[in-house]
Amino acid sequence: MPTYEYQCTTCNYQFEEFQKITDKPLKKCPKCGNNLKRLISPGAGFIFKGTGFYITDYKRKNNSTDKENESKSNKQT
Ligand SMILES: [Zn+2]
């Protein structure tokens, strides 16, 4: 199971979270509730390539497509 490293963009709080590859990434800082960014550290001892990376990439593409469609339809109306 991979370890994901997160950092808060507001208070810079850093922590690691064990998650399944299929779990959704965390978005809220547990300390201040603001936005998190997920760090990918090269020395973590596991590799992000392969199926896990593929699934993450696939999810992101789906999400961004949804958002693009929403914003486009909003602009048109
Ligand atoms: Zn924070």
Side-chain angles (χ1 to χ4, degrees):
M1 197 177 291
T3 308
Y4 294 105
E5 199 173 344
Y6 291 93
Q7 183 177 26
C8 177
T9 57
T10 303
C11 70
N12 290 328
Y13 175 58
Q14 267 191 45
F15 64 100
E16 290 180 351
E17 183 78 14
F18 285 101
Q19 289 188 294
K20 294 176 189 172
I21 287 171
T22 50
D23 280 353
K24 291 179 181 175
L26 301 178
K27 287 182 178 173
K28 281 191 175 180
C29 173
K31 282 201 167 183
C32 70
N34 282 296
N35 290 333
L36 292 171
K37 61 179 176 181
R38 194 167 74 182
L39 310 174
I40 297 175
S41 52
F46 62 90
I47 301 172
F48 273 95
K49 291 173 188 172
T51 49
F53 190 88
Y54 170 76
I55 290 169
T56 309
D57 193 44
Y58 181 74
K59 269 189 180 177
R60 279 187 187 152
K61 274 180 187 170
N62 274 355
N63 287 342
S64 64
T65 305
D66 289 345
K67 280 175 188 169
E68 275 174 20
N69 287 340
E70 274 180 30
S71 60
K72 273 179 192 170
S73 58
N74 284 344
K75 279 175 189 170
Q76 280 169 356
T77 51

